[in-house]
Amino acid sequence: MELDSVSPTSAGKPAISSPAAGKTVRTFAVASLAANIAIVVTGGAVRLTASGLGCPEWPMCTPDSLTTTPEMGVHGIIEFGNRLLTFVLAAIAFAMVFSVWKIRAERRDLFGLSVALLAGIPAQALLGGITVWTGLNPWIVGGHFILSMVLIVLATVLVNRAWLTPAQLASVNGPLATRTLRPLLGALGVLSGLSVVLGVIVTGSGPHAGDHGAARNGLDPDLMTRIHVIPVYLLVFALAVALYLVFRHATDGRLRSALLLLTAVVLAQGAIGYAQHFLHLPIVLVGLHMLGASLLTAAAAHAVFTGFARRVPGHDPVVGSVDAAPARSGAAASETGVRR
């Protein structure tokens, strides 16, 4: 996720920086992120209402009908409605690609991310079809969810990059996070991802299979829940250390805000997770936990991006602001000597 650098100068000509994204591009970037989160929630509603096989065929709903039929009842309506949302997601993805088309040469980052999000839609649709063909195999269903998390990460990066100014795009300074914070940010990203993946496995061992006849993964749900909370505890600890560092030392406000947002999401997600476990998995709380997983993924991606990929004046590209201070002082002294 490196930022575009200033083009090298030649023959004394000034370098040209990449252009900022316009309001339309930013709007569709946010819409892409919101739509990818929304379809996770609606997909959760399909599973939690036991409507996963409401349309027992794919890509047709039945062998003879593309759409749901009255005989299929509410389960068919819920499942087919979720399938229709894929077209809404595709429309937003196409609009995103078209919005950056004119600046695709200068903003290859935005164009590449837009194309990747668009390509993810047929991949998700095909994987959804495989879940139907396999009778809601829990491992395939889990892969379907994880692919959604990958798309949410891409959409989060897209939103962040759409808000970069030309000055930030042109900067060749170092990351916003200090050298001490960078490993912590990496750990936060890994632990967040691991927590989501293990949560998917816990779900595959639980009662909400998406259909009353669907198989489970055969793992012990209590044991998997205990394993699932290990990276969650480590995530909370790493967040506490990161927050201590950003408030103990002078740190850019954007990074503090990103870590506070991640902290809020982690605490809310943890509270929902404990509540759903001790209340024996009511579908409302399970649905909120799925939304929380999406928000956790987005918040973690935002924090990692903010720390690693933004650029601020005064940071050395290799060793960070602390180590670069003596070099800058020396450069200032040299400049003073020249002026004298």
Side-chain angles (χ1 to χ4, degrees), residues 113-188:
L113 287 166
S114 301
V115 171
L117 284 170
L118 179 60
I121 295 172
Q124 273 288 62
L126 178 59
L127 194 53
I130 294 174
T131 65
V132 174
W133 293 339
T134 58
L136 304 183
N137 180 291
W139 298 106
I140 305 297
V141 173
H144 193 47
F145 184 85
I146 291 171
L147 179 54
S148 289
M149 297 301 104
V150 172
L151 295 178
I152 287 173
V153 169
L154 293 177
T156 302
V157 175
L158 177 63
V159 171
N160 274 276
R161 293 197 68 88
W163 252 264
L164 292 176
T165 65
Q168 289 169 330
L169 287 165
S171 174
V172 291
N173 295 293
L176 204 63
T178 63
R179 185 170 55 182
T180 304
L181 268 174
R182 289 173 218 165
L184 270 175
L185 285 175
L188 290 176

Side-chain angles (χ1 to χ4, degrees), residues 178 180-185 187-188 233-249 251 259 263:
T178 63
T180 304
L181 268 174
R182 289 173 218 165
L184 270 175
L185 285 175
L188 290 176
Y233 289 149
L234 293 175
L235 176 60
V236 171
F237 176 75
L239 262 175
V241 175
L243 286 172
Y244 170 78
L245 290 176
V246 297
F247 281 99
R248 178 68 176 79
H249 305 287
T251 307
L259 287 172
T263 301

Side-chain angles (χ1 to χ4, degrees), residues 128-328:
I130 294 174
T131 65
V132 174
W133 293 339
T134 58
L136 304 183
N137 180 291
W139 298 106
I140 305 297
V141 173
H144 193 47
F145 184 85
I146 291 171
L147 179 54
S148 289
M149 297 301 104
V150 172
L151 295 178
I152 287 173
V153 169
L154 293 177
T156 302
V157 175
L158 177 63
V159 171
N160 274 276
R161 293 197 68 88
W163 252 264
L164 292 176
T165 65
Q168 289 169 330
L169 287 165
S171 174
V172 291
N173 295 293
L176 204 63
T178 63
R179 185 170 55 182
T180 304
L181 268 174
R182 289 173 218 165
L184 270 175
L185 285 175
L188 290 176
V190 171
L191 289 171
S192 296
L194 186 58
S195 298
V196 170
V197 170
L198 288 175
V200 169
I201 296 176
V202 172
T203 298
S205 67
H208 300 298
D211 185 81
H212 297 300
R216 302 282 72 205
N217 60 24
L219 300 175
D220 184 281
D222 288 331
L223 175 61
M224 294 311 305
T225 299
R226 294 178 187 278
I227 295 175
H228 167 52
V229 299
I230 294 174
V232 175
Y233 289 149
L234 293 175
L235 176 60
V236 171
F237 176 75
L239 262 175
V241 175
L243 286 172
Y244 170 78
L245 290 176
V246 297
F247 281 99
R248 178 68 176 79
H249 305 287
T251 307
D252 192 285
R254 290 169 295 181
L255 184 54
R256 288 197 300 271
S257 296
L259 287 172
L260 285 172
L261 175 62
L262 178 58
T263 301
V265 173
V266 168
L267 293 178
Q269 180 72 333
I272 294 171
Y274 272 107
Q276 71 165 6
H277 177 71
F278 289 111
L279 294 175
H280 307 293
L281 304 176
I283 61 173
V284 173
L285 288 182
V286 175
L288 287 175
H289 203 50
M290 292 183 68
L291 172 61
S294 301
L295 297 178
L296 171 62
T297 300
H302 173 62
V304 172
F305 179 91
T306 302
F308 278 98
R310 288 190 184 275
R311 300 293 192 259
V312 289
H315 280 239
D316 184 89
V318 178
V319 294
S321 58
V322 175
D323 297 334
R328 290 197 300 273

